[in-house]
Amino acid sequence: MTDTPTSVSTPTSTLARQVDLEDAWKESAHSDVCCLIYATQNGWKLPILFEEMGIPYDWALVDFGKNEQKSERFLKINPNGRIPALIDRRHGVTVAESGAILEYIATRFESPLLPSPTDDLQRHLQVKQWLYWQVSALGPSMGQAMYFQRIARVRGHDDPFAIGRFIAEAERCLKMLDAQLAESGGPFILGEQCTLVDVACFAYCASAYWANADTSDMPHLRAWIAMLHE
Protein backbone atom coordinates (compact mmCIF):
# COMPACT_ATOMS: atom_id res chain seq x y z
CA MET A 1 0.00 0.00 0.00
CA THR A 2 1.17 3.51 -0.73
CA ASP A 3 2.25 5.57 2.27
CA THR A 4 1.17 9.12 1.47
CA PRO A 5 2.72 11.83 3.67
CA THR A 6 0.33 14.31 5.23
CA SER A 7 2.80 16.67 6.86
CA VAL A 8 6.04 16.44 8.77
CA SER A 9 4.54 17.67 12.02
CA THR A 10 5.45 15.52 15.03
CA PRO A 11 3.58 14.16 18.04
CA THR A 12 3.57 16.41 21.10
CA SER A 13 2.48 14.77 24.35
CA THR A 14 3.57 14.13 27.91
CA LEU A 15 3.47 10.43 27.02
CA ALA A 16 5.66 10.77 23.93
CA ARG A 17 9.45 11.13 23.82
CA GLN A 18 11.31 11.55 20.56
CA VAL A 19 14.63 9.77 20.05
CA ASP A 20 17.00 9.67 17.12
CA LEU A 21 16.50 6.71 14.82
CA GLU A 22 19.96 5.39 15.65
CA ASP A 23 18.97 5.35 19.35
CA ALA A 24 15.64 3.58 18.83
CA TRP A 25 17.09 0.23 19.96
CA LYS A 26 18.68 1.63 23.14
CA GLU A 27 17.03 0.94 26.49
CA SER A 28 15.01 3.83 27.86
CA ALA A 29 13.71 4.65 31.32
CA HIS A 30 10.78 6.38 29.62
CA SER A 31 9.35 3.38 27.78
CA ASP A 32 10.01 -0.23 26.80
CA VAL A 33 8.85 0.43 23.24
CA CYS A 34 9.82 2.70 20.37
CA CYS A 35 7.63 3.50 17.38
CA LEU A 36 9.37 4.00 14.03
CA ILE A 37 7.06 6.35 12.18
CA TYR A 38 6.55 9.11 9.64
CA ALA A 39 3.63 11.50 9.18
CA THR A 40 1.41 9.26 7.06
CA GLN A 41 -1.98 7.76 7.78
CA ASN A 42 -0.31 4.50 8.82
CA GLY A 43 2.31 6.34 10.85
CA TRP A 44 -0.25 8.13 13.01
CA LYS A 45 -1.88 4.90 14.15
CA LEU A 46 0.76 4.14 16.79
CA PRO A 47 0.81 7.53 18.56
CA ILE A 48 -3.01 7.54 18.54
CA LEU A 49 -3.05 4.06 20.10
CA PHE A 50 -0.57 4.86 22.88
CA GLU A 51 -2.32 8.14 23.65
CA GLU A 52 -5.67 6.35 23.88
CA MET A 53 -4.15 3.71 26.20
CA GLY A 54 -2.34 6.34 28.28
CA ILE A 55 0.99 4.49 28.07
CA PRO A 56 4.37 6.26 27.64
CA TYR A 57 6.15 5.58 24.36
CA ASP A 58 9.29 6.59 22.50
CA TRP A 59 9.17 7.39 18.82
CA ALA A 60 11.76 7.92 16.12
CA LEU A 61 11.26 9.61 12.77
CA VAL A 62 11.95 7.46 9.73
CA ASP A 63 12.87 10.18 7.26
CA PHE A 64 11.38 9.52 3.84
CA GLY A 65 13.49 12.36 2.43
CA LYS A 66 16.58 10.32 3.30
CA ASN A 67 14.93 7.06 2.21
CA GLU A 68 15.53 5.64 5.67
CA GLN A 69 12.61 3.23 5.27
CA LYS A 70 14.74 1.46 2.65
CA SER A 71 17.88 1.29 4.79
CA GLU A 72 19.43 -2.09 5.52
CA ARG A 73 18.65 -1.83 9.22
CA PHE A 74 15.00 -0.94 8.67
CA LEU A 75 14.52 -3.65 6.04
CA LYS A 76 15.59 -6.23 8.62
CA ILE A 77 12.44 -5.27 10.55
CA ASN A 78 10.18 -4.89 7.53
CA PRO A 79 11.48 -6.27 4.21
CA ASN A 80 8.58 -4.40 2.58
CA GLY A 81 10.25 -1.09 3.44
CA ARG A 82 7.13 0.53 4.89
CA ILE A 83 6.37 2.28 8.15
CA PRO A 84 5.32 1.91 10.89
CA ALA A 85 7.47 -0.52 12.82
CA LEU A 86 7.81 -1.18 16.52
CA ILE A 87 10.74 -2.13 18.73
CA ASP A 88 9.94 -3.80 22.06
CA ARG A 89 13.21 -3.44 23.89
CA ARG A 90 12.18 -5.42 26.97
CA HIS A 91 11.22 -8.51 25.00
CA GLY A 92 13.86 -8.03 22.30
CA VAL A 93 11.39 -8.22 19.43
CA THR A 94 10.36 -6.08 16.48
CA VAL A 95 7.02 -5.92 14.69
CA ALA A 96 6.12 -4.51 11.27
CA GLU A 97 2.82 -3.85 9.47
CA SER A 98 0.38 -1.56 11.24
CA GLY A 99 -2.36 -4.13 11.89
CA ALA A 100 0.08 -6.58 13.46
CA ILE A 101 1.59 -3.80 15.58
CA LEU A 102 -1.78 -2.59 16.88
CA GLU A 103 -2.77 -6.13 17.79
CA TYR A 104 0.59 -6.79 19.47
CA ILE A 105 0.48 -3.59 21.56
CA ALA A 106 -3.11 -4.14 22.66
CA THR A 107 -2.26 -7.72 23.66
CA ARG A 108 1.07 -6.84 25.26
CA PHE A 109 -0.52 -4.17 27.48
CA GLU A 110 -3.85 -6.00 27.89
CA SER A 111 -5.88 -3.11 26.49
CA PRO A 112 -9.69 -3.24 26.27
CA LEU A 113 -9.24 -1.81 22.78
CA LEU A 114 -8.87 -5.49 21.83
CA PRO A 115 -11.20 -7.49 24.10
CA SER A 116 -9.80 -10.78 25.33
CA PRO A 117 -11.13 -13.84 23.49
CA THR A 118 -11.79 -15.47 26.86
CA ASP A 119 -13.92 -12.53 28.00
CA ASP A 120 -15.85 -11.90 24.78
CA LEU A 121 -14.89 -14.08 21.84
CA GLN A 122 -17.43 -12.60 19.43
CA ARG A 123 -16.29 -9.02 20.06
CA HIS A 124 -12.63 -10.06 19.92
CA LEU A 125 -13.21 -11.54 16.48
CA GLN A 126 -15.27 -8.56 15.37
CA VAL A 127 -12.43 -6.19 16.21
CA LYS A 128 -9.97 -8.35 14.28
CA GLN A 129 -12.34 -8.62 11.33
CA TRP A 130 -12.64 -4.87 10.96
CA LEU A 131 -8.94 -4.31 11.67
CA TYR A 132 -7.94 -6.66 8.86
CA TRP A 133 -10.54 -5.00 6.62
CA GLN A 134 -8.90 -1.65 7.24
CA VAL A 135 -5.45 -2.84 6.22
CA SER A 136 -6.72 -4.81 3.21
CA ALA A 137 -9.52 -2.60 1.87
CA LEU A 138 -9.88 0.92 3.28
CA GLY A 139 -6.16 1.67 3.51
CA PRO A 140 -5.10 0.46 0.05
CA SER A 141 -8.03 2.09 -1.76
CA MET A 142 -7.48 5.44 -0.04
CA GLY A 143 -3.72 5.20 -0.54
CA GLN A 144 -4.01 4.49 -4.26
CA ALA A 145 -6.61 7.24 -4.75
CA MET A 146 -4.19 9.67 -3.14
CA TYR A 147 -1.20 8.36 -5.09
CA PHE A 148 -2.71 8.59 -8.56
CA GLN A 149 -4.00 12.10 -7.92
CA ARG A 150 -1.33 13.66 -5.71
CA ILE A 151 1.85 11.99 -6.95
CA ALA A 152 1.42 10.26 -10.32
CA ARG A 153 -0.59 13.09 -11.89
CA VAL A 154 1.90 15.71 -10.68
CA ARG A 155 4.68 13.67 -12.30
CA GLY A 156 2.87 13.68 -15.63
CA HIS A 157 1.09 10.34 -15.42
CA ASP A 158 -2.60 11.22 -15.51
CA ASP A 159 -4.67 8.04 -15.46
CA PRO A 160 -8.40 8.91 -15.22
CA PHE A 161 -9.42 5.23 -15.13
CA ALA A 162 -7.19 4.43 -12.14
CA ILE A 163 -8.22 7.63 -10.37
CA GLY A 164 -11.91 6.92 -10.87
CA ARG A 165 -11.57 3.30 -9.83
CA PHE A 166 -9.78 4.00 -6.57
CA ILE A 167 -11.96 6.97 -5.62
CA ALA A 168 -15.02 4.79 -6.13
CA GLU A 169 -13.52 2.00 -4.04
CA ALA A 170 -12.49 4.44 -1.29
CA GLU A 171 -16.03 5.85 -1.17
CA ARG A 172 -17.47 2.32 -1.07
CA CYS A 173 -15.33 1.54 1.98
CA LEU A 174 -16.22 4.81 3.67
CA LYS A 175 -19.91 4.07 3.12
CA MET A 176 -19.39 0.70 4.80
CA LEU A 177 -18.13 2.50 7.89
CA ASP A 178 -21.02 4.96 7.75
CA ALA A 179 -23.46 2.04 7.65
CA GLN A 180 -21.62 0.22 10.46
CA LEU A 181 -21.78 3.32 12.67
CA ALA A 182 -25.50 3.59 12.02
CA GLU A 183 -26.04 -0.09 12.82
CA SER A 184 -23.91 -0.10 15.98
CA GLY A 185 -25.53 3.08 17.28
CA GLY A 186 -22.11 4.61 17.90
CA PRO A 187 -20.48 6.70 19.00
CA PHE A 188 -17.65 4.34 17.99
CA ILE A 189 -17.53 1.97 15.03
CA LEU A 190 -18.44 -1.10 17.08
CA GLY A 191 -20.74 0.67 19.50
CA GLU A 192 -20.25 2.31 22.87
CA GLN A 193 -16.58 1.42 23.38
CA CYS A 194 -13.52 2.56 21.45
CA THR A 195 -11.55 -0.29 19.88
CA LEU A 196 -8.55 -0.86 17.63
CA VAL A 197 -10.92 -0.39 14.70
CA ASP A 198 -11.40 3.29 15.52
CA VAL A 199 -7.65 3.74 15.93
CA ALA A 200 -6.88 2.03 12.61
CA CYS A 201 -9.54 3.80 10.54
CA PHE A 202 -9.41 7.34 11.87
CA ALA A 203 -6.39 8.80 10.06
CA TYR A 204 -7.59 7.54 6.68
CA CYS A 205 -11.17 8.72 7.16
CA ALA A 206 -10.08 12.11 8.47
CA SER A 207 -8.00 12.64 5.32
CA ALA A 208 -10.68 11.51 2.87
CA TYR A 209 -10.55 14.99 1.32
CA TRP A 210 -6.95 14.30 0.35
CA ALA A 211 -8.18 11.44 -1.83
CA ASN A 212 -11.07 13.57 -3.14
CA ALA A 213 -13.46 11.03 -1.64
CA ASP A 214 -16.89 12.58 -1.12
CA THR A 215 -18.32 11.97 2.39
CA SER A 216 -21.09 14.57 2.19
CA ASP A 217 -23.78 11.86 2.23
CA MET A 218 -22.21 9.97 5.16
CA PRO A 219 -23.55 11.73 8.29
CA HIS A 220 -22.60 9.02 10.77
CA LEU A 221 -19.02 8.90 9.49
CA ARG A 222 -18.68 12.67 9.57
CA ALA A 223 -19.99 12.83 13.14
CA TRP A 224 -17.54 10.11 14.19
CA ILE A 225 -14.60 11.97 12.62
CA ALA A 226 -15.63 15.19 14.34
CA MET A 227 -15.95 13.42 17.70
CA LEU A 228 -12.50 11.84 17.46
CA HIS A 229 -10.92 15.14 16.40
CA GLU A 230 -12.26 16.64 19.62
Side-chain angles (χ1 to χ4, degrees), residues 42-43 47 53 59 70-71 80 110 118 132 151 156 217 224 230:
N42 274 341
M53 293 193 306
W59 67 276
K70 305 297 183 182
S71 67
N80 197 32
E110 299 182 351
T118 57
Y132 297 166
I151 299 177
D217 63 344
W224 171 78
E230 293 173 2

Side-chain angles (χ1 to χ4, degrees), residues 1 3 42 45-46 74 77-86 94-104 131 135:
M1 186 185 72
D3 278 313
N42 274 341
K45 291 177 184 177
L46 273 60
F74 190 87
I77 301 176
N78 186 0
N80 197 32
R82 298 286 191 272
I83 61 93
L86 181 84
T94 60
V95 193
E97 300 299 332
S98 63
I101 297 170
L102 296 187
E103 186 175 342
Y104 174 74
L131 176 61
V135 298

Side-chain angles (χ1 to χ4, degrees), residues 79-150:
N80 197 32
R82 298 286 191 272
I83 61 93
L86 181 84
I87 300 169
D88 186 338
R89 299 153 172 154
R90 171 167 296 203
H91 293 291
V93 297
T94 60
V95 193
E97 300 299 332
S98 63
I101 297 170
L102 296 187
E103 186 175 342
Y104 174 74
I105 294 171
T107 302
R108 160 90 154 77
F109 293 100
E110 299 182 351
S111 170
L113 293 171
L114 177 61
S116 166
T118 57
D119 293 338
D120 190 337
L121 179 58
Q122 183 61 65
R123 190 163 178 83
H124 175 84
L125 294 173
Q126 189 181 27
V127 171
K128 284 190 174 181
Q129 170 190 327
W130 281 96
L131 176 61
Y132 297 166
W133 170 85
Q134 188 281 310
V135 298
S136 66
L138 176 66
S141 63
M142 293 284 287
Q144 293 296 341
M146 294 175 193
Y147 173 80
F148 278 102
Q149 295 176 87
R150 304 288 182 176

Side-chain angles (χ1 to χ4, degrees), residues 148 151-159 163:
F148 278 102
I151 299 177
R153 179 185 279 170
V154 172
R155 294 176 179 174
H157 183 75
D158 189 2
D159 189 334
I163 291 171

Side-chain angles (χ1 to χ4, degrees), residues 19-213:
V19 300
D20 291 335
L21 184 59
E22 62 185 20
D23 295 328
W25 283 259
K26 294 181 180 178
E27 290 188 8
S28 162
H30 179 74
S31 177
D32 290 335
V33 298
C34 186
C35 308
L36 308 185
I37 57 177
Y38 188 72
T40 70
Q41 286 80 9
N42 274 341
W44 281 110
K45 291 177 184 177
L46 273 60
I48 289 172
L49 178 61
F50 279 105
E51 294 293 332
E52 185 65 26
M53 293 193 306
I55 294 176
Y57 61 101
D58 288 343
W59 67 276
L61 180 70
V62 180
D63 192 337
F64 282 16
K66 297 178 181 177
N67 217 30
E68 288 178 338
Q69 76 276 20
K70 305 297 183 182
S71 67
E72 182 179 354
R73 194 171 195 184
F74 190 87
L75 289 174
K76 287 181 179 179
I77 301 176
N78 186 0
N80 197 32
R82 298 286 191 272
I83 61 93
L86 181 84
I87 300 169
D88 186 338
R89 299 153 172 154
R90 171 167 296 203
H91 293 291
V93 297
T94 60
V95 193
E97 300 299 332
S98 63
I101 297 170
L102 296 187
E103 186 175 342
Y104 174 74
I105 294 171
T107 302
R108 160 90 154 77
F109 293 100
E110 299 182 351
S111 170
L113 293 171
L114 177 61
S116 166
T118 57
D119 293 338
D120 190 337
L121 179 58
Q122 183 61 65
R123 190 163 178 83
H124 175 84
L125 294 173
Q126 189 181 27
V127 171
K128 284 190 174 181
Q129 170 190 327
W130 281 96
L131 176 61
Y132 297 166
W133 170 85
Q134 188 281 310
V135 298
S136 66
L138 176 66
S141 63
M142 293 284 287
Q144 293 296 341
M146 294 175 193
Y147 173 80
F148 278 102
Q149 295 176 87
R150 304 288 182 176
I151 299 177
R153 179 185 279 170
V154 172
R155 294 176 179 174
H157 183 75
D158 189 2
D159 189 334
F161 177 81
I163 291 171
R165 180 185 188 280
F166 286 114
I167 289 178
E169 181 63 8
E171 291 178 350
R172 185 189 72 83
C173 290
L174 293 168
K175 286 178 180 177
M176 283 183 63
L177 283 179
D178 186 68
Q180 170 60 28
L181 283 159
E183 181 178 345
S184 74
F188 299 101
I189 292 174
L190 299 183
E192 296 181 357
Q193 302 298 322
C194 183
T195 70
L196 290 183
V197 183
D198 300 277
V199 174
C201 293
F202 173 69
Y204 278 100
C205 295
S207 58
Y209 67 92
W210 193 247
N212 286 323

